[in-house]
Amino acid sequence: MTTTEFLNQVDEKWAEFQTFVASLRPEQYTSPTDAAGWSVQDHLLHLSEWEAGVTALLNYQDRVAAMGLTPELWAARDFDAMNEVLRKNAAQYGGSSETVKARINDAHGQLRAKIAAFSDDDLQKPYSHWAPNSGREYPIIDLLIGDTTEHYPEHIEWMQAILDSGR
């Protein structure tokens, strides 16, 4: 896949995501919640924090630290626990639907700009290119797909389920 092809896919899924976000009324950001207590706002900020973490990685920064996670939690690969930490950390961006939208749009814009500067070959470089001590050798495109084009629809589905539940 070329960088242009990948960005086209990202833009398509992001547009679908933005359409969903635009359909929300401000009060739907915080109520209802799912059985775990997550609101639509929590899901939106979750996405922003994962994208911000990927951007940090692509800037040769410590992704784990940038996400406010501990190395121990990261090493345990307990995504539920990581996501709870991210949810608590991301609460600083809450308060209004506008601040939440600004955070997610900023995080997405930074990640998209970073990817847009990639060559086609950069997409195939291993994760360890950006994090040499990670030992992860899979192509960075795998991570990018998981945290963008696959991540947005997954969370739209979960957010819609929250709204439909009316809890």
Side-chain angles (χ1 to χ4, degrees), residues 120-143:
D120 295 343
D121 290 339
D122 288 337
L123 292 177
Q124 298 309 315
K125 289 180 180 174
Y127 185 106
S128 62
H129 173 81
W130 289 274
N133 296 326
S134 72
R136 296 185 178 151
E137 295 303 318
Y138 56 82
I140 199 68
I141 185 67
D142 294 353
L143 172 77

Side-chain angles (χ1 to χ4, degrees), residues 10-21:
V10 169
D11 291 345
E12 177 185 332
K13 294 299 181 185
W14 183 252
E16 292 170 9
F17 178 76
Q18 288 294 342
T19 297
F20 175 82
V21 172

Side-chain angles (χ1 to χ4, degrees), residues 33-62:
T33 62
D34 64 15
W38 279 56
S39 65
V40 167
Q41 176 172 293
D42 291 329
H43 282 272
L44 296 172
L45 291 171
H46 162 93
L47 289 165
S48 73
E49 297 316 286
W50 279 98
E51 286 199 346
V54 173
T55 301
L57 172 71
L58 298 179
N59 284 323
Y60 300 96
Q61 298 168 347
D62 183 341

